């Protein structure tokens, strides 16, 4: 059985994360806490051998990936546009409150990419990477919502929010599908297999 192993890492913290603002596809850079989180992730990830690393092109994910790659001695981080965070449209930059609620519709926000559209895009990108890197160990640095909805769809279970720069370890088999081994740094029960 040929397994492709994925470390799925959400980027480190940004100022908008700290302020609890929706970022979406707005390109907000890492802050110093986020850079430290990326450096800390190296210690956990160094327990495994990795064949390649890819990331979203947005700067917060790209810088996280570059810091992790440098710490692990990997080169050539490839940017994958399909791993860009879900677009929240006019809700981007907003915090919880009446203005944000006024934009809310079933499945998301007016003028935004729906959760289903983001899951379709994210899972298609992960499955294309599984095909390209079949039998390899791949680091993927992307975004919280995109990873959450894609993984939820992959394993057939609704997952909670994904923490910044924490290990999510999943395995893909062309016939048996996806299995999630670690979520937010914690082992997952076999019930999340699909």
């Amino acid at each position: 059985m040929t397994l492709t192993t994925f470390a799925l890492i959400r980027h480190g913290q940004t100022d908008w994360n700290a302020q609890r603002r929706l970022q979406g596809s707005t390109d907000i850079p890492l802050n110093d806490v986020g850079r430290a989180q990326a450096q800390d992730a190296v210690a956990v990830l160094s327990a495994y051998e990795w064949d390649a690393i890819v990331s979203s092109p947005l700067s917060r994910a790209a810088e996280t990936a570059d810091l992790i790659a440098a710490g692990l001695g990997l080169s050539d981080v490839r940017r994958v546009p399909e791993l860009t965070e879900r677009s929240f449209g006019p809700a981007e930059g907003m915090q919880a409150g009446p203005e944000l609620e006024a934009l809310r519709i079933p499945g998301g926000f007016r003028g935004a990419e729906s959760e289903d559209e983001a899951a379709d895009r994210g899972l298609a990108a992960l499955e294309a990477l599984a095909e390209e890197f079949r039998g390899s160990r791949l680091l993927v640095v992307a975004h919280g919502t995109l990873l959450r909805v894609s993984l939820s769809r992959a394993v057939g279970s609704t997952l909670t929010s994904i923490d910044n720069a924490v290990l999510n370890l999943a395995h893909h088999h062309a016939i048996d599908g996806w299995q999630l081994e670690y979520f937010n740094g914690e082992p997952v029960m076999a019930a999340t297999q699909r």
Side-chain angles (χ1 to χ4, degrees), residues 76-92:
D76 299 326
V77 179
R78 189 170 96 205
R79 309 301 182 215
V80 178
E82 295 80 9
L83 294 174
T84 299
E85 179 61 297
R86 173 184 175 195
S87 170
F88 290 106
E92 291 187 13

Side-chain angles (χ1 to χ4, degrees), residues 53-66:
I53 182 167
V54 301
S55 80
S56 157
L58 293 179
S59 63
R60 59 191 183 268
E63 185 178 0
T64 300
D66 292 346

Side-chain angles (χ1 to χ4, degrees), residues 150-159 178-180 191-194:
S150 300
L151 277 174
S152 293
R153 172 86 51 87
V155 300
S157 177
T158 302
L159 301 171
W178 291 88
Q179 176 188 359
L180 188 57
T192 62
Q193 298 177 20
R194 182 173 160 198

Side-chain angles (χ1 to χ4, degrees), residues 86-185:
R86 173 184 175 195
S87 170
F88 290 106
E92 291 187 13
M94 292 187 172
Q95 296 171 305
E99 287 181 344
L100 182 62
E101 287 308 308
L103 293 174
R104 195 174 294 280
I105 59 172
F109 300 98
R110 268 183 299 158
E113 183 179 24
S114 74
E115 195 167 282
D116 282 340
E117 290 167 335
D120 289 345
R121 175 172 54 84
L123 187 54
L126 293 176
E127 290 185 343
L129 290 167
E131 179 65 27
E132 179 181 349
F133 292 95
R134 183 176 292 177
S136 299
R137 301 178 70 81
L138 180 65
L139 277 161
V140 176
V141 181
H143 305 274
T145 298
L146 185 78
L147 290 174
R148 178 183 58 79
V149 299
S150 300
L151 277 174
S152 293
R153 172 86 51 87
V155 300
S157 177
T158 302
L159 301 171
T160 59
S161 64
I162 294 181
D163 297 336
N164 292 100
V166 175
L167 178 65
N168 301 285
L169 192 67
H171 306 282
H172 179 269
H173 183 267
I175 296 170
D176 297 333
W178 291 88
Q179 176 188 359
L180 188 57
E181 184 178 349
Y182 283 87
F183 184 71
N184 280 337

